[in-house]
Amino acid sequence: MTTDPRNHEAESGYFSEDDSAEVVIARIASDSDPRLREIMDSAIRHLHAFVKEVEPTQEEWGKAITFLTETGQICNDWRQEYILLSDILGVSMLVDAINNRKPSGATETTVLGPFHVADAPRYESGANICLDGKGEPLVVTGRVTDTQGQPIAGAMLDVWQANEDGFYDVQQKGVQPEMNLRGIFTTDADGRYWFKSVRPKYYPIPDDGPVGKLLGQMGRHPYRPAHIHFIVGAAGFEPITTHIFTPDCPYLHSDAVFGVKQDLIADFHAVDDPARASELGFSNPFQAVTCDFVLVTPQQKLEG
């Protein structure tokens, strides 16, 4: 009786091309964390299937290792190249979608992005977060409610955006004022918030590193459509990370990180009102946008 040598190799634990994933998975200890084992089992199977499908040369695999090495080497306290890699491959948005299934009517979420900064300054309603004086003046107003339309008092809104030149403050240390275009606001008893800023502009994600080079090699542009970031949360509700986008941006349908959703495109518009402009300390006309946020409870999220 002849024994298939491939079966012998798999049973003995020796590596073979046909049984590569099974041999590697078999080395994971049976008493390891069950979730880790589940994740690594799937990751190994998919990675080995990918390699078998693509059949990279030794040189190509070496370039892949170099790319990952360079991606890690460019990361620092304010730049996370691995987040950019996850973003441009659509993985960040997929993970976000899986983890943010909500009932109809709840505010859509999108990617955090690599430039959020903890401990932004806390402001009273109506404060101006634009510290460099650049850009077209904008007033942002809105409410935070539950799914029944009831106001949520004391909700926190963490806000940040790029400046008129398309850079976040952390990208231009010593050029922009520290904490420029960042702030945390709290809703009033009616769930209302408002603040002053500038109309956002589209900008490229950092494309001077390995991720930017990869985008170029794939024939893709690095631009994100104009937007303002928000993290919105309140006691007893699930926090959300989201954006609002301008409706006329040329990159709405080709966002480099796939972050645009139809419901997040807001009505940015010009206001010609000299009296109101004077009250706000703006030149006339100025820009305005209203953006309401609807939060869900943990139970509603589970049911969604």
Side-chain angles (χ1 to χ4, degrees):
M1 178 176 174
T2 303
T3 302
D4 188 331
R6 294 176 299 176
N7 293 334
H8 175 70
E9 288 169 341
E11 293 170 0
S12 66
Y14 295 128
F15 192 92
S16 71
E17 180 179 338
D18 288 336
D19 300 311
S20 61
E22 287 74 14
V23 170
V24 175
I25 290 167
R27 300 286 179 90
I28 303 174
S30 59
D31 60 352
S32 61
D33 179 81
R35 178 60 172 164
L36 175 63
R37 183 179 178 87
E38 177 186 10
I39 291 171
M40 291 310 301
D41 184 304
S42 182
I44 291 165
R45 291 185 190 280
H46 283 283
L47 180 58
H48 282 237
F50 162 76
V51 172
K52 290 174 181 179
E53 177 182 342
V54 174
E55 295 191 338
T57 64
Q58 294 282 5
E59 180 183 6
E60 288 169 338
W61 193 243
K63 287 182 178 179
I65 298 298
T66 298
F67 169 79
L68 293 173
T69 301
E70 292 175 347
T71 298
Q73 289 172 337
I74 203 172
C75 295
N76 54 40
D77 289 343
W78 59 267
R79 176 166 180 170
Q80 233 303 347
E81 195 80 354
Y82 274 115
I83 291 179
L84 285 180
L85 179 59
S86 174
D87 288 349
I88 66 111
L89 295 178
V91 178
S92 296
M93 280 300 295
L94 180 57
V95 172
D96 178 81
I98 290 169
N99 284 274
N100 287 285
R101 297 169 181 141
K102 296 185 177 73
S104 176
T107 297
E108 296 268 21
T109 59
T110 189
V111 292
L112 175 69
F115 296 119
H116 177 255
V117 173
D119 301 321
R122 294 177 180 269
Y123 290 117
E124 295 293 328
S125 289
N128 194 337
I129 64 173
C130 180
L131 307 181
D132 64 3
K134 294 182 176 181
E136 192 173 3
L138 170 73
V139 60
V140 183
T141 59
R143 297 179 75 214
V144 180
T145 67
D146 63 18
T147 53
Q148 301 303 311
Q150 295 301 307
I152 301 176
M156 307 292 291
L157 298 98
D158 189 348
V159 182
W160 71 104
Q161 67 178 91
N163 76 346
E164 170 73 5
D165 300 322
F167 294 100
Y168 291 87
D169 58 343
V170 293
Q171 294 177 282
Q172 292 187 312
K173 291 183 179 293
V175 176
Q176 290 190 45
E178 187 175 355
M179 295 293 179
N180 186 36
L181 292 164
R182 298 181 186 274
I184 297 176
F185 296 90
T186 305
T187 58
D188 64 17
D190 293 323
R192 298 188 183 280
Y193 74 93
W194 76 283
F195 62 91
K196 292 180 283 188
S197 185
V198 291
R199 183 183 173 95
K201 293 289 186 73
Y202 61 79
Y203 62 86
I205 62 172
D207 60 353
D208 57 341
V211 172
K213 182 178 179 180
L214 177 62
L215 275 177
Q217 291 171 333
M218 292 192 294
R220 289 175 52 189
H221 69 71
Y223 285 94
R224 295 226 58 208
H227 61 273
I228 301 175
H229 295 262
F230 290 84
I231 296 176
V232 186
F237 293 88
E238 286 290 312
I240 59 169
T241 298
T242 193
H243 303 358
I244 57 171
F245 296 90
T246 63
D248 55 353
C249 183
Y251 296 107
L252 275 179
H253 301 290
S254 60
D255 182 4
V257 308
F258 306 96
V260 180
K261 295 179 180 179
Q262 182 67 44
D263 288 348
L264 300 181
I265 301 172
D267 180 23
F268 287 77
H269 58 277
V271 176
D272 185 359
D273 186 339
R276 180 58 175 154
S278 178
E279 290 176 4
L280 293 169
F282 287 168
S283 58
N284 189 65
F286 59 93
Q287 291 284 310
V289 64
T290 297
C291 186
D292 297 332
F293 299 99
V294 179
L295 304 185
V296 300
T297 65
Q299 183 61 36
Q300 286 176 313
K301 182 178 179 180
L302 286 175
E303 294 171 352

